[in-house]
Amino acid sequence: MLPGLQMDRAFAMAAVALYCAEKSGRGSPDVALLELIAEQIEADQNVEGGWGHDAIPDDESVYPATLIAATNSAAFALGLCVRHGIEVDPGVIERVLALYRRVQAPSGAMP
């Protein structure tokens, strides 16, 4: 787990994953950090299959438990991890895809 990243964790993890991917593209991969990112994102997935604005469980005082923007960021980061050879729990991917299917409008639009 990565200590010190409590607020906006899904967004922060995606930013760090992008940084690691960019480093990798320049011949300097940080696979160990990507492994930690994947582990943290997997641990932060909520029961709805997505991710919220921050990592404070059951605190919906400002934001709902699941935000599609945060979920997109987390899914993006997991995709970068997979692309760099990091194993991601297939159940995590299945749950986020199920969430996307549930919230997508008949027109194909996302909330």
Side-chain angles (χ1 to χ4, degrees), residues 22-95:
E22 288 292 323
K23 273 183 67 177
S24 177
R26 290 175 172 78
S28 177
D30 196 337
V31 175
L33 184 53
L34 283 171
E35 288 172 343
L36 288 172
I37 290 167
E39 178 184 314
Q40 186 67 64
I41 290 173
E42 289 175 341
D44 287 347
Q45 188 178 38
N46 64 36
V47 297
E48 295 177 323
W51 288 264
H53 186 272
D54 51 44
I56 302 172
D58 304 319
D59 180 11
E60 293 190 36
S61 58
V62 178
Y63 295 101
T66 298
L67 289 175
I68 293 301
T71 298
N72 289 343
S73 294
F76 172 76
L78 289 176
L80 288 173
C81 291
V82 168
R83 184 171 184 140
H84 286 84
I86 308 302
E87 186 174 327
V88 173
D89 179 354
V92 170
I93 303 302
E94 290 170 17
R95 287 188 295 276

